[in-house]
Amino acid sequence: DTEVTQTPKHLVMGMTNKKSLKCEQHMGHRAMYWYKQKAKKPPELMFVYSYEKLSINESVPSRFSPECPNSSLLNLHLHALQPEDSALYLCASSQGDRTNYGYTFGSGTRLTVV
Amino acid sequence: EDQVTQSPEALRLQEGESSSLNCSYTVSGLRGLFWYRQDPGKGPEFLFTLYSAGEEKEKERLKATLTKKESFLHITAPKPEDSATYLCAVQALAGNNRKLIWGLGTSLAVNP
């Protein structure tokens, strides 16, 4: 299994809603990442988990809350988002957080905040 | 300041018309250069990792090369299905961590 699976593929939420994005991989990768990508821009790093511990938080607003329940799963909890948070949210994994190997990306969740 | 610049921003080719995409970089402590392909609304798909100057890698119609200042992605006899955005990213040291620095991408369109 060489995939990173993200659910849901699309999500529309109001500014007062609470929702969660999910990411799963079964490649034995020990580093997992959340990225945010706006149209015609490269991915922007949000969080890095290394061996299930948060190792990097790129000054992301607290309305985004990551969680890593185990080595295969990564969640992103969303609360009180703003319309400007609408974007493609990408999960990725790699063999380690200092990897020289490629990062495997999921297909993303297209989030629209109304 | 660490920086990755890709050119051209957009490229339109006829099917079979070979060309090259450029990724120039200035980083301290290079720990690998990555090429990705991204289709609209999808996540980036890993293509190649290059570690040292002089290294080359090939996959089907694609060939990536690396010098101390830049990388090229050569596309030989492209087909319409090669149409996508090609992203270059450099992994550099950032304190005790490693950080991916991305270029803005080259949008490639191959006409039949």
Side-chain angles (χ1 to χ4, degrees):
Chain A
D1 189 351
T2 57
E3 285 188 347
V4 174
T5 303
Q6 290 188 243
T7 56
K9 292 192 184 303
H10 301 275
L11 178 62
V12 179
M13 61 185 290
M15 290 188 284
T16 59
N17 291 161
K18 285 185 181 181
K19 297 286 185 182
S20 296
L21 309 185
K22 297 185 184 300
C23 174
E24 188 169 2
Q25 58 88 12
H26 295 287
M27 295 177 281
H29 287 176
R30 301 314 300 269
M32 297 185 75
Y33 310 79
W34 280 115
Y35 282 87
K36 172 182 176 180
Q37 188 177 28
K38 292 278 208 177
K40 299 190 185 301
K41 297 285 188 182
E44 180 184 340
L45 183 65
M46 300 175 72
F47 302 104
V48 179
Y49 272 84
S50 178
Y51 293 85
E52 298 146 58
K53 292 186 178 179
L54 183 65
S55 62
I56 295 178
N57 176 339
E58 291 286 346
S59 302
V60 178
S62 59
R63 56 185 183 269
F64 295 92
S65 175
E67 178 196 19
C68 188
N70 60 55
S71 61
S72 300
L73 295 175
L74 186 65
N75 298 322
L76 186 63
H77 303 297
L78 313 173
H79 173 55
L81 295 192
Q82 303 297 310
E84 58 264 30
D85 296 322
S86 298
L88 181 67
Y89 286 84
L90 294 164
C91 174
S93 69
S94 65
Q95 290 188 5
D97 63 352
R98 298 188 177 198
T99 186
N100 286 332
Y101 302 94
Y103 299 70
T104 303
F105 283 84
S107 292
T109 294
R110 173 67 63 188
L111 173 68
T112 303
V113 181
V114 298
Chain B
E1 182 185 350
D2 295 336
Q3 194 168 348
V4 176
T5 303
Q6 289 188 248
S7 61
E9 185 177 320
L11 181 63
R12 187 176 293 274
L13 300 173
Q14 288 299 121
E15 185 172 2
E17 180 187 0
S18 301
S19 188
S20 298
L21 311 182
N22 178 263
C23 172
S24 63
Y25 62 91
T26 51
V27 296
S28 53
L30 177 69
R31 292 294 183 270
L33 182 144
F34 302 96
W35 281 101
Y36 285 87
R37 168 199 170 122
Q38 188 171 25
D39 293 300
K42 299 285 182 66
E45 175 190 345
F46 172 73
L47 295 174
F48 304 108
T49 307
L50 302 166
Y51 302 118
S52 55
E55 189 173 2
E56 298 183 353
K57 290 193 176 175
E58 285 189 71
K59 179 181 178 180
E60 296 180 354
R61 295 179 292 282
L62 300 177
K63 179 180 176 180
T65 61
L66 181 65
T67 72
K68 289 186 177 180
K69 294 183 179 179
E70 59 190 350
S71 176
F72 289 95
L73 184 66
H74 306 279
I75 304 177
T76 302
K79 298 181 177 181
E81 52 262 43
D82 294 323
S83 298
T85 295
Y86 290 85
L87 292 165
C88 170
V90 170
Q91 184 166 237
L93 288 174
N96 291 326
N97 296 303
R98 295 185 180 190
K99 193 169 182 178
L100 271 184
I101 303 163
W102 294 84
L104 294 180
T106 292
S107 177
L108 174 65
V110 181
N111 297 325

